[in-house]
Amino acid sequence: MVQEENKSGYFKGLSRQDYIKKTHEIMKKEGVEAVSIRRIAAELGCSSASLYRHFENREELLYYAELRTLKSYIDSLNRAERTWSNMWDIYVGIWDCYAREAFAHPEAYNLLFFIYPNKKLNKAIREYYEIFPEDLKRTNRFFQEMLKTPDFMSRDFEMCKKCINDGAVTYENAIRLNRMVCMLFAGYFKKVLDEGIEEYQIGERVDQFIKDVDTIVKALAKDLKGYTGYKQRIH
């Protein structure tokens, strides 16, 4: 239980959820640089010391707040899942949803998956979904576990393991698939991050990336199970 505000107004009964929501609100409107501990405390009417009772530093607070950005990715997964008919549809389709959201929100995805990879922050992702369980309410169990896996390549390998279990790829080629597709995405993403991208260009860039993923899948798959290329998209 958070200590209630004392006579000097030093502490307030605010939760981690309150700080996360306010930080995300500012980030969404003005960007990461607009966020400071002093500003968050001022807008919530508490002291900086009160905020530090919940978060060690600004970086930790930013990480939790940026996790809110993944909500639109989760929603797109839930919609697209209805169109997938085989294991490769699922594998490539997840990448389609992920790339589309990452290219649209490069600053947030860079912070979440590339800037803060240390173990302490990585553990935050599971706690985040305990604070905001509604974000995963309509998501199947596999997606929930995948979304709670913080490491970038480990997330993809959760999908690769399903392909192995489905007989769609050998273990050795799943290792190659994981490495090649993750490195491919990292290259595409860096270009977006460095050069920027207009909203109207996102669809074409995602399509280019997915065509490259299709090429890798077809080269490494043990059984394509009727898969000819990822075409079904709902956004």
Side-chain angles (χ1 to χ4, degrees):
M1 178 68 67
V2 178
Q3 184 177 335
E4 293 298 322
E5 186 174 15
N6 64 18
K7 293 181 180 179
S8 65
Y10 196 67
F11 293 117
K12 290 188 71 174
L14 296 167
S15 68
R16 287 168 73 83
Q17 188 179 75
D18 295 321
Y19 293 113
I20 292 168
K21 284 183 174 180
K22 175 55 67 176
T23 303
H24 180 73
E25 177 186 314
I26 294 173
M27 290 166 63
K28 191 173 181 180
K29 291 179 180 178
E30 303 176 42
V32 172
E33 296 306 316
V35 175
S36 69
I37 295 295
R38 181 175 295 179
R39 178 174 177 181
I40 299 298
E43 294 208 8
L44 288 175
C46 67
S47 68
S48 296
S50 178
L51 193 152
Y52 281 121
R53 287 165 64 84
H54 293 283
F55 300 94
E56 285 192 3
N57 49 42
R58 175 178 179 270
E59 286 68 32
E60 184 179 42
L61 175 60
L62 287 175
Y63 188 86
Y64 277 87
E66 286 289 26
L67 284 168
R68 300 240 75 194
T69 308
L70 295 181
K71 182 65 168 59
S72 56
Y73 166 53
I74 295 169
D75 290 342
S76 68
L77 281 178
N78 293 337
R79 291 193 300 271
E81 181 189 15
R82 304 173 195 141
T83 73
W84 298 335
S85 58
N86 59 54
M87 193 62 244
W88 291 119
D89 271 346
I90 297 172
Y91 180 83
V92 182
I94 289 173
W95 272 113
D96 180 87
C97 294
Y98 181 81
R100 200 167 296 274
E101 292 297 325
F103 294 171
H105 308 284
E107 186 181 58
Y109 277 66
N110 187 48
L111 188 152
L112 288 173
F113 297 100
F114 296 100
I115 291 180
Y116 299 131
N118 70 69
K119 291 181 180 179
K120 183 173 178 59
L121 288 177
N122 280 343
K123 290 178 181 178
I125 197 164
R126 289 187 177 271
E127 183 183 357
Y128 171 84
Y129 288 119
E130 292 175 2
I131 298 172
F132 296 97
E134 64 274 14
D135 285 8
L136 297 180
K137 188 175 181 179
R138 298 179 181 178
T139 305
N140 70 45
R141 185 172 297 178
F142 168 68
F143 287 162
Q144 288 186 24
E145 285 306 307
M146 181 191 73
L147 290 163
K148 291 175 183 177
T149 302
D151 178 71
F152 178 68
M153 292 189 72
S154 295
R155 275 190 172 215
D156 178 68
F157 199 66
E158 288 299 311
M159 296 185 280
C160 290
K161 286 191 291 187
K162 284 188 71 71
C163 293
I164 295 169
N165 294 336
D166 195 55
V169 68
T170 64
Y171 179 81
E172 291 76 14
N173 276 353
I175 296 291
R176 296 185 181 95
L177 178 68
N178 177 238
R179 181 177 64 248
M180 292 171 72
V181 174
C182 287
M183 294 303 290
L184 174 70
F185 173 80
Y188 269 90
F189 184 70
K190 187 175 188 304
K191 186 175 179 65
V192 170
L193 197 63
D194 290 348
E195 301 177 8
I197 190 169
E198 297 294 331
E199 186 175 353
Y200 74 89
Q201 298 174 313
I202 292 174
E204 182 180 356
R205 190 73 58 85
V206 172
D207 287 345
Q208 290 174 350
F209 168 66
I210 291 301
K211 286 179 182 177
D212 289 344
V213 175
D214 276 338
T215 300
I216 296 170
V217 165
K218 290 172 183 176
L220 296 177
K222 176 183 176 183
D223 185 353
L224 286 170
K225 300 181 180 296
Y227 179 81
T228 58
Y230 188 71
K231 299 182 179 66
Q232 297 171 313
R233 296 180 174 86
I234 296 178
H235 305 292

